[in-house]
Amino acid sequence: MDYRANTYRKKNTIIILLLEGIALVLILALLEIKFPYQKLWIMVIFLLQVLVVYLSFRNIGRQVQQIENALERLTRGKMNAEILTPRGLAHTAIKYVNQLFMQMEDATLYIEKIGSRQQESQSEAKLLHLSTNDHLGKALSEMRNKMQIFQDEEQKRNWSTEGLAQFSEVLRNHTDNLEEFSNQVIRHLVKYLKCNQGSLFIENEQDGEIYLELVACYAYDKRKYQEKKFKTGQGLVGQCAFEKQTISITDLPQNYVHITSGLGEATPTHLVIVPLMVNHEFHGVIELASFHKLEGYQITFLEKIAESIAATLGTVKVTMQTQNLLDNSHELTAELRAREEEMRHHLETLTAAQHEMQIKQSELQWVFKAMDNSLLTATFDLEGNLLTANDKLTLLSTYSIQELHQLGHNLFVIEKEDPLFWQDIQQGVVKSGDFKLMTQNGEEKWMNASFTPMHADEGQQKKVLMLGTDITEKKLVLEKLSLVAHNTDNSVIITDNQGYIEFVNEGFTALTGYGQEEVVGRKPGHLLQGPRTDSETIKRIRKQIKQGVPFYEEILNYRKDGRSYWISLMINPVKNEKGYIEKFVSIQSDVTKIKEATLDYTYKLEAIGRSNAVVEFDIQGNIIDVNAIFLSVTGYEKEELIGKPYEYLLPEREKDKPQVQMMWDNLKEGTFFSGEFIQKSKEGKDLWLSGTFNPIFDLEEKLQRILMFAQFTTHEKEKQHELSSMLEALNNSVMTLEMDTQGSLKKGNAQFLQTFGYKRSEISRKTIEDLIKDPRQIHELVVQLRQEDSVTCTLTLTTKEGEDRVYQATFHAMRNLERQLHRILIILIEG
């Protein structure tokens, strides 16, 4: 309480009490003293006392009224007028009311400034008449601070909201071009965050390697990124990709990056690297560098934008992939057709293989019996000790079985020719060739044999199986051939199956000038061919040698002294009883003078080597000769066909087709024809053939006749048609799926797609595990199919709409030509 105000109030109270006391004393004195007009004076004094009391109470009432009016105005919010400060007993109360007016007005102005949401007003707002220790003043100060914080947060939210709206527009308008999208994103991002530099990296994959590639940068010095690709974990960008967390660095390495301006170069103070992530899927990295430090809300905003960029980036990639798919639709169509054809081929191969396997299984026991009756068989351990031998080997060697056990591998002359023979076999190498053995009587015998390591179930080699044939007579024939070769004037060359010379006769030396010691171990072409030797003829010779067929050719060779000469050479492969080529015998004659006379024979020899069924026509298309194979298949007698036109062999519906006349017109022009065509048998049955029509010319290159060489393919055609019908019936009756060994779906037929609600493009992007309830079944089934051809089980599959369905599923193994599991066909039957 104010001391002066308290003193003033006490003073007024004392004066009133004194006046009242004096008045009372006067009245009492007048009552005791008798004087004229006594009652009048008493009345006057009483009236004066009443007047004093009245004036005092009126003054007090007026002050109380002022206080009441002021408080009434205060309750109605009118604080623009102050009451006067009168003297009297209510002086102090009026003073405090006035002070309350000023404090309320001060608080009102303070709140108005805070409510204006102006940063400058809030910072300058002060309480002139309220203390911060006062409850109201403290509450207002706290309100100002909270309003300041709220306003700052509101500005940050508005800034983020506005930024998200701007970037949404940018992301919507550039979804058809990855390069334009990347440039627009990084440019707007750098400008909005008021950074100095920025770059955008996108995750790519090449040859199975994942890397980050720089696709857009803004204001960066080009030298900053000499390498535009980063592996995961390489540098700060690769570290961000590896950790998939935002990296914020305020203490940058000195040479990491420089910001260039008109004032020179300087290192930025803040580097932020943010991963582009959406739904836990990583797409790339954004890197920003700035002179000023980015606040937390700015980094949060950047992370939100990064998520939107990642989502749009996925859309851009899908758009580009879709465009590529549309651009390559023709190629995809062709590929689908090729795959369908491949499936038909694999199914055909599978059917044939299954049939063949059944036949082989049924005949296997007879094969073993036949092998034992027709081949020389024996088994050895890995050290070369004899375990078993059949009767044909004991008969050939003239040793008993007990004596053979003692001899073991010493029965054969092997170690002198191949010292590492048994070591190679222990390493799993199959050995084959001609082997000499000495009988008990010292007689030489020759055997063509193979030594094959046999494996136990655990993969360990257990024993060696020998299968051989007696080629002693063949060896004698070759010796006689060598004797004949020495006594002929023609040049004779004998090579091994790789073409290296083993023997030449004296006729070769006389023709070429090379002695035997100069040519053994070398190839004839390396010695005899020269600059004018026709390269096409060389290719033709090599091709026919590779095919293992006998052939006749003429070629220009060179003697040792460099002179050229023409030779006719006939090369014949020498095969063992298994049909494997062991040697080549080449007989050569100097045909420089008679080269032209042998041209016709050459064409015939090549034609015979190409095919089996042969029909010969004159230039008018009339039949002049047929071979026995053609007659046996068609049922004709040779006399029935000689002189008949080509149309005689055709079904009625084929005779008038323009392709027939066109073929013969081309043949008469000398054009070789190859393809598949139809003819008829004697009974009128359709026969399909695959072959060639070959024009034959004389020395003056005039057409002499036309040879048809063909193979009958009627059975294959029927099988193909039957398989196609079966496939079509299968597709129309049941649901089928095709997948690879990893579980990735390749395609489903129309019934499956319709039942499960998928499109063809959708099913090719799914795995079988996406459709079934228990994925563990698939792994077990794939393991079974590597050993078995089909497995049947019950599967629960889920449609695109989430509906579970139970099917009886049959998994068929589709194997390649090496019998390896290639793909799996699934047939679904409701049950």
Side-chain angles (χ1 to χ4, degrees), residues 503-520:
F503 169 82
V504 294
N505 69 342
E506 294 178 357
F508 174 85
T509 302
L511 179 63
T512 65
Y514 290 103
Q516 180 163 329
E517 67 281 356
E518 297 178 273
V519 299
V520 171

Side-chain angles (χ1 to χ4, degrees), residues 669-713:
E669 294 293 328
T671 302
F672 173 86
F673 176 81
S674 175
E676 198 174 49
F677 42 92
I678 189 171
Q679 294 182 1
K680 67 175 182 178
S681 66
K682 184 176 180 180
E683 291 78 16
K685 180 182 177 181
D686 288 347
L687 299 174
W688 282 93
L689 299 94
S690 176
T692 60
F693 287 79
N694 305 272
I696 305 300
F697 301 89
D698 60 12
L699 295 178
E700 297 180 356
E701 296 187 355
K702 292 182 180 180
L703 184 65
Q704 282 190 329
R705 55 189 177 275
I706 295 170
L707 290 177
M708 182 195 80
F709 307 103
Q711 293 182 345
F712 290 96
T713 60

Side-chain angles (χ1 to χ4, degrees), residues 661-769:
Q661 186 61 43
M662 185 182 302
M663 181 186 75
W664 280 99
D665 291 341
N666 291 333
L667 289 171
K668 292 176 182 179
E669 294 293 328
T671 302
F672 173 86
F673 176 81
S674 175
E676 198 174 49
F677 42 92
I678 189 171
Q679 294 182 1
K680 67 175 182 178
S681 66
K682 184 176 180 180
E683 291 78 16
K685 180 182 177 181
D686 288 347
L687 299 174
W688 282 93
L689 299 94
S690 176
T692 60
F693 287 79
N694 305 272
I696 305 300
F697 301 89
D698 60 12
L699 295 178
E700 297 180 356
E701 296 187 355
K702 292 182 180 180
L703 184 65
Q704 282 190 329
R705 55 189 177 275
I706 295 170
L707 290 177
M708 182 195 80
F709 307 103
Q711 293 182 345
F712 290 96
T713 60
T714 306
H715 181 69
E716 289 78 7
K717 275 287 184 180
E718 292 173 349
K719 283 290 184 182
Q720 183 178 357
H721 179 72
E722 180 181 351
L723 182 58
S724 298
S725 300
M726 290 173 63
L727 286 174
E728 184 176 358
L730 182 65
N731 274 327
N732 291 334
S733 59
V734 297
M735 292 181 289
T736 63
L737 270 175
E738 185 178 338
M739 71 176 192
D740 60 20
T741 57
Q742 304 302 317
S744 296
L745 297 178
K746 297 303 178 182
K747 60 182 177 180
N749 69 348
Q751 291 224 9
F752 176 87
L753 296 175
Q754 181 180 1
T755 302
F756 280 76
Y758 288 104
K759 297 180 180 178
R760 292 184 183 274
S761 58
E762 292 177 320
I763 205 68
S764 62
R765 294 195 296 268
K766 291 187 174 294
T767 65
I768 188 64
E769 295 180 355

